[in-house]
Amino acid sequence: ESWQRMQHAGVRNVDAFIEFQKGRELFDLAHGDSELMETLEKGLVHFDRAIELFPEFAAAYWAKSDYYAHVIIEPTSTDEERAVALRDLREVLDNAWRLSEDSPRRTQVDFDRVLFSDDWTPMRDRIEKALATTGCPEPTWIETAIGFGYAEASQGLWERYQRCEPLSISAPLKRADVAVYLGQYEKALQILDEAEVLLGGNAWFLGTRQWALLAQGRHEEALAIAPEVRGDVTFFGMSAEPLPLALSGDVDAARAAMETWQAENGRNLRNEIEIHAAIGDRDTANRLAAEVDARPGGPMMLMITVVYCACGAPFDLEATPNFRKRIRESGLAWPTETVIRYPAKDW
């Protein structure tokens, strides 16, 4: 099995492969309950060692790219840090693409190269090619396609990924995301139940469970698990209480819960855009979206915001000129499908 994994990774150096495996273990931990950025940084050391030992190690470049992407979307990053990370990310993606030659990995890398570029004209072509690959996929940010009309087409990819990597936390999460976008809410919850039995509980499973409950209008149940979710500072925590409250129609309580979380943990503009959209504060959602749009990697961050708000358009395209340009040149559908319907959001 190890030899097969080495072949799949495209490496002929055992020591380099061992370093790569150590990095992958940390990658999986980072996307579980470990401290995300700190754990990804530790993984980066192993990927760099693997590349030093085997400079043509495409899979190591590919795995390494996730760290830079998370620097861009991390709430505490400065714009200078984002700019450097975006430059480094583009470089490692180009290396991964060049060295992957004709492997299925190449199509996944090529999608990310477009996503983090300043030209989304090839976006739909790259999505369709990435979703059409066979064998064991190596997906990363192709998950964003789920919210732009490709949920059904994404099913097979994430199911194959889970079969190939049964200990991956990402696979069941994305399968659940697909099910939510397809209106298969009980299936989404069942996928998460099975994943928790196999892999244990973590903030990502809880946050996605809450999301599935919101899509069903089950705001009381979503609010009941909010205390377990709100400790996450990067992805779900700020939204854990405000979104169920917004779904219940209690706008004032939703705003107060957001402000309490901010006082304790700081800003998170992606979450704030979602919350302001959910409570019907269109002007503030637009202002914050414009702020994100102007950042290095801003359009990609807004794409994530749109997908995981699942509320149609959380902001107006006119407020985000860079994102508007990317959407128009890509030909992707806008606004996206409304999966969660907040009473106060009247656009």
Side-chain angles (χ1 to χ4, degrees), residues 1-12 14 17 20-21 57 59 105 136 138 163-165:
E1 185 183 351
S2 293
W3 177 245
Q4 286 178 330
R5 284 181 171 271
M6 280 183 66
Q7 283 187 311
H8 180 65
V11 61
R12 297 182 297 278
V14 174
F17 184 68
F20 175 74
Q21 288 290 82
F57 202 161
R105 179 189 312 111
C136 286
E138 299 175 47
R163 286 196 295 272
C164 293
E165 300 289 345

Side-chain angles (χ1 to χ4, degrees), residues 235-248:
F235 289 98
F236 313 104
M238 178 183 279
S239 303
E241 292 179 37
L243 292 185
L245 289 167
L247 194 66
S248 77

Side-chain angles (χ1 to χ4, degrees), residues 10-258:
V11 61
R12 297 182 297 278
N13 182 305
V14 174
D15 291 333
F17 184 68
I18 290 169
E19 291 292 345
F20 175 74
Q21 288 290 82
K22 288 177 179 177
R24 286 295 309 185
E25 286 172 15
L26 288 163
F27 175 95
D28 289 333
L29 283 173
H31 294 83
D33 259 350
S34 293
E35 208 288 319
L36 179 70
M37 294 307 298
E38 182 183 319
T39 311
L40 285 177
E41 277 189 54
K42 291 177 181 176
L44 199 64
V45 173
H46 293 289
F47 294 137
D48 281 338
R49 285 179 189 159
I51 291 166
E52 188 178 331
L53 290 164
F54 188 72
E56 298 177 356
F57 202 161
Y61 279 110
W62 180 222
K64 181 179 172 179
S65 71
D66 192 62
Y67 167 77
Y68 300 112
H70 277 286
V71 171
I72 292 169
I73 64 175
E74 180 68 20
T76 57
S77 296
T78 66
D79 280 355
E80 184 179 356
E81 289 169 335
R82 291 188 180 98
V84 172
L86 183 59
R87 181 201 66 201
D88 291 344
L89 174 61
R90 288 170 173 172
E91 183 180 331
V92 296
L93 287 175
D94 284 347
N95 282 326
W97 181 81
R98 175 176 55 84
L99 295 167
S100 291
E101 297 178 343
D102 294 328
S103 73
R105 179 189 312 111
R106 201 172 206 240
T107 61
Q108 300 294 333
V109 176
D110 214 11
F111 168 76
D112 278 23
R113 290 171 80 220
V114 173
L115 180 62
F116 289 97
S117 78
D118 295 324
D119 181 3
W120 286 7
T121 304
M123 178 74 82
R124 290 175 67 181
D125 174 71
R126 299 302 190 271
I127 289 172
E128 288 159 16
K129 285 179 178 173
L131 295 179
T133 53
T134 57
C136 286
E138 299 175 47
T140 55
W141 296 105
I142 191 65
E143 67 181 70
T144 53
I146 292 169
F148 281 83
Y150 290 93
E152 190 169 359
S154 297
Q155 273 184 306
L157 178 127
W158 293 107
E159 287 170 358
R160 280 187 289 114
Y161 185 52
Q162 188 165 22
R163 286 196 295 272
C164 293
E165 300 289 345
L167 299 182
S168 165
I169 286 170
S170 298
L173 283 173
K174 302 314 156 194
R175 286 185 61 217
D177 289 349
V178 166
V180 169
Y181 263 97
L182 293 177
Q184 300 167 352
Y185 307 125
E186 290 307 319
K187 179 181 178 180
L189 294 172
Q190 182 183 348
I191 289 169
L192 294 169
D193 286 342
E194 292 170 356
E196 286 180 2
V197 170
L198 178 64
L199 302 170
N202 60 64
W204 298 64
F205 288 160
L206 281 168
T208 305
R209 179 179 298 280
Q210 194 181 46
W211 195 58
L213 292 169
L214 292 173
Q216 295 178 78
R218 293 160 65 177
H219 57 82
E220 291 180 358
E221 292 168 77
L223 189 59
I225 62 173
E228 299 174 76
V229 182
R230 75 184 304 276
D232 172 79
V233 295
T234 302
F235 289 98
F236 313 104
M238 178 183 279
S239 303
E241 292 179 37
L243 292 185
L245 289 167
L247 194 66
S248 77
D250 196 340
V251 167
D252 290 339
R255 189 186 297 274
M258 177 187 67

